[in-house]
């Protein structure tokens, strides 16, 4: 068997692999475009999802965990970081208020260390968590500005000036 014959089957296999990859990539791309076309555009009244950030550090408010303040002082300070406190609540009617109180307590601890926090309270299970992330606040700020410009403060729970 010559070296030329041995190399040709490897080249053919590499070509076939590349063709298969290109077909799979094209199918996935088309599938994503179809999914986007099927998803209805959010109205101005729909709640917008938070833009995902790049988490740097996560704090879980578990029993026996150190307080949030000392944990925050151990993290590297960066003005581009945003602290998001997420608290979860269950199906009982009183649990959203309890989750909000827990998140507010963590936000006060962060505030005492000079860090402003965004609070998110959502259905789910698990301990409250604080996440330091490189987050882009521009979409949330733009949404808040548009609500204030429309004069929709009372229906959205945003306090007036």
């Amino acid at each position: 068997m010559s070296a030329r014959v041995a190399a040709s089957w490897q080249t053919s296999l590499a070509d076939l692999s590349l063709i298969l990859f290109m077909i799979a990539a094209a199918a996935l791309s088309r599938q994503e475009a179809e999914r986007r076309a099927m998803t209805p555009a959010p109205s101005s009244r729909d709640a917008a999802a938070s833009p995902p950030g790049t988490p740097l550090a996560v704090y879980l408010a578990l029993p026996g965990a150190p307080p949030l303040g000392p944990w925050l002082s151990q993290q590297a300070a960066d003005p581009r970081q945003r602290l998001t406190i997420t608290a979860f609540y269950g199906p009982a009617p009183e649990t959203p208020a309890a989750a909000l109180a827990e998140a507010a307590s963590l936000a006060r601890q962060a505030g005492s260390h000079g860090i402003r926090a965004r609070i998110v309270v959502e259905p789910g299970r698990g301990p409250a968590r604080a996440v330091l992330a490189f987050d882009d606040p521009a979409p949330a700020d733009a949404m808040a500005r548009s609500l204030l410009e429309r004069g929709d403060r009372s229906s959205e729970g945003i306090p007036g000036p």
Side-chain angles (χ1 to χ4, degrees):
M1 184 156 117
S2 72
R4 184 178 174 105
V5 173
S8 67
W9 74 267
Q10 293 170 341
T11 304
S12 296
L13 187 59
D15 289 345
L16 289 173
S17 297
L18 185 59
I19 290 169
L20 180 61
F21 172 76
M22 291 170 53
I23 290 171
L28 286 174
S29 172
R30 197 172 308 119
Q31 192 177 35
E32 180 64 23
E34 289 172 2
R35 186 190 64 78
R36 266 190 253 123
M38 298 287 287
T39 304
S43 71
S44 61
R45 288 284 189 193
D46 290 342
S50 298
T54 305
L56 301 171
V58 178
Y59 171 86
L60 296 176
L62 294 169
L68 180 63
W71 177 82
L72 283 171
S73 63
Q74 294 174 356
Q75 307 306 315
D78 190 322
R80 299 170 294 166
Q81 293 175 358
R82 176 178 254 188
L83 180 67
T84 301
I85 297 172
T86 306
F88 302 99
Y89 62 88
E94 67 277 357
T95 55
L100 184 59
E102 182 180 18
S105 171
L106 290 172
R108 281 191 296 278
Q109 290 178 40
S112 69
H113 283 75
I115 299 174
R116 287 183 30 194
R118 171 175 56 178
I119 295 177
V120 177
V121 178
E122 59 189 24
R125 293 191 306 195
R129 66 190 62 183
V131 177
L132 270 176
F134 287 117
D135 237 352
D136 182 12
D141 293 345
M143 185 172 76
R145 261 193 308 281
S146 71
L147 287 172
L148 290 173
E149 288 169 359
R150 283 191 325 189
D152 226 358
R153 291 182 284 276
S154 62
S155 66
E156 298 296 329
I158 299 173

